Amino acid sequence: ADQPITLRGVGQTIGELLNQVLQPLRLEVVDEGQGFRLSRLGAQREKQATYRVDDLLPTGARDATPMVELLATLLPELPARIDADGASLQVSGPAAAHMKVAILCERLRKARKLGPRSRYPEPLLQVKPSLATLDTVLQRTTTFSFVEFTPLAEIVDHWERTTGVTILVDWASLADNDLRPSTTLACSVNDRPWGEALDSTLAELNLAWRAVDPSTLQITTKPAAKAMQTIEFYPVATPEDASRFQRELATLGAANTVYDRPSQTVLVRGTITTHRHAWQIASELAE
């Protein structure tokens, strides 16, 4: 994000110019009609590859079927075929799907304190609940008042400075609600926790926030938020706690869960609402 760039071109589209800069970074521009999206270069290219997962299997096991089942539970909509081949996974599908499989396996290795088997940056492999760190900020009380109509972008900047949390805004989705950085609004909150303050203010605009990582929030539309499915790792002390965690979460709505005994975590795939419930249950079990 801090790398300076220089654009030079004659008779070229903006997309062509951007791709010249992005290709060395293995990124490309995807034209989505009303805007651009950055994507990994060749993300849709079909490929086949084998991934060794013997370290993720029970000691001495030579059948990767348990990993195939785990991936099917946590990545049910993955547009790829995954088969067990001895202690390895055979994956056929778009490069983007291969990346999701590889990252989830690396996250599992990190949670189990195993060595990595890829060059994916270790700091980006998240194995702690996003709300674990953010919850401290979200429980702090705040008071703010924008009596005069103020651009939405300025209000978000104020929230970011005050909380110390990075706040990303999904402006492409907000445009569906006719909301832009320059859209003005008036809002106020008096002595309420940040989580409640954000919920009440954003709800008026049919917006929601979600945890991206332990130091980042994203603001998007409610429909977009409901469509997002992410995977989080929740620590549990015992198999009995894991069973209780999974039972209680199941009563609150649809969620895909897998208990990973070696790392003493429950892996949860779900929406922002699911993860808020999951964090609450995990916190209660830890008391």
Side-chain angles (χ1 to χ4, degrees):
D2 298 327
Q3 180 173 332
I5 64 172
T6 300
L7 295 177
R8 295 190 182 91
V10 177
Q12 292 178 287
T13 66
I14 293 176
E16 290 171 341
L17 286 172
L18 289 174
N19 277 329
Q20 289 180 11
V21 176
L22 294 171
Q23 284 180 1
L25 303 176
R26 300 189 62 77
L27 297 172
E28 64 181 345
V29 169
V30 177
D31 187 350
E32 296 193 329
Q34 296 184 351
F36 293 116
R37 173 176 58 85
L38 296 187
S39 175
R40 185 175 296 274
L41 189 64
Q44 299 307 312
R45 178 173 53 85
E46 294 286 326
K47 59 181 286 189
Q48 294 182 344
T50 300
Y51 301 92
R52 289 175 50 228
V53 291
D54 52 295
D55 57 331
L56 298 176
L57 302 177
T59 303
R62 303 298 299 171
D63 182 4
T65 298
M67 282 300 299
V68 173
E69 294 171 348
L70 180 147
L71 292 168
T73 300
L74 297 175
L75 298 172
E77 299 174 2
L78 195 71
R81 180 185 175 90
I82 305 176
D83 296 302
D85 182 12
S88 298
L89 298 174
Q90 290 279 359
V91 182
S92 302
H98 284 255
M99 181 60 68
K100 288 184 178 182
V101 170
I103 290 175
L104 185 52
C105 288
E106 287 300 310
R107 290 175 69 187
L108 196 55
R109 290 186 176 100
K110 183 175 180 178
R112 294 183 182 182
K113 297 180 172 54
L114 301 174
R117 288 196 172 179
S118 75
R119 293 177 294 177
Y120 194 83
E122 187 273 338
L124 299 182
L125 297 170
Q126 185 178 328
V127 295
K128 293 182 178 179
S130 298
L131 288 172
T133 302
L134 288 171
D135 199 48
T136 302
V137 175
L138 296 170
Q139 292 301 324
R140 289 203 319 250
T141 57
T142 184
T143 296
F144 58 79
S145 179
F146 293 92
V147 179
E148 296 184 1
F149 280 81
T150 305
L152 181 56
E154 291 185 20
I155 294 175
V156 174
D157 285 343
H158 170 77
W159 292 343
E160 192 170 51
R161 291 193 306 271
T162 307
T163 60
V165 171
T166 299
I167 301 179
L168 308 175
V169 182
D170 182 7
W171 292 115
S173 292
L174 265 65
D176 294 337
N177 286 12
D178 201 24
L179 294 171
R180 293 170 177 77
S182 59
T183 300
T184 59
L185 68 145
C187 59
S188 63
V189 164
N190 182 41
D191 196 31
R192 295 177 67 183
W194 265 109
E196 293 181 14
L198 291 173
D199 282 337
S200 61
T201 303
L202 295 174
E204 295 290 329
L205 303 170
N206 197 31
L207 302 179
W209 62 268
R210 72 179 186 95
V212 176
D213 60 39
S215 61
T216 308
L217 297 179
Q218 183 193 43
I219 294 174
T220 186
T221 64
K222 284 188 176 181
K226 290 179 180 179
M228 292 180 184
Q229 299 272 340
T230 58
I231 299 170
E232 296 264 19
F233 289 56
Y234 294 91
V236 288
T238 66
E240 291 72 26
D241 281 350
S243 295
R244 178 182 165 188
F245 178 100
Q246 291 175 293
R247 284 198 309 271
E248 292 190 18
L249 193 58
T251 65
L252 296 170
N256 293 6
T257 64
V258 173
Y259 172 47
D260 183 56
R261 189 162 187 161
S263 65
Q264 291 187 295
T265 59
V266 177
L267 284 64
V268 178
R269 179 184 188 270
T271 65
I272 59 172
T273 301
T274 298
H275 288 299
R276 290 193 195 184
H277 289 317
W279 173 241
Q280 182 178 358
I281 296 169
S283 299
E284 291 172 354
L285 288 173
E287 292 177 354

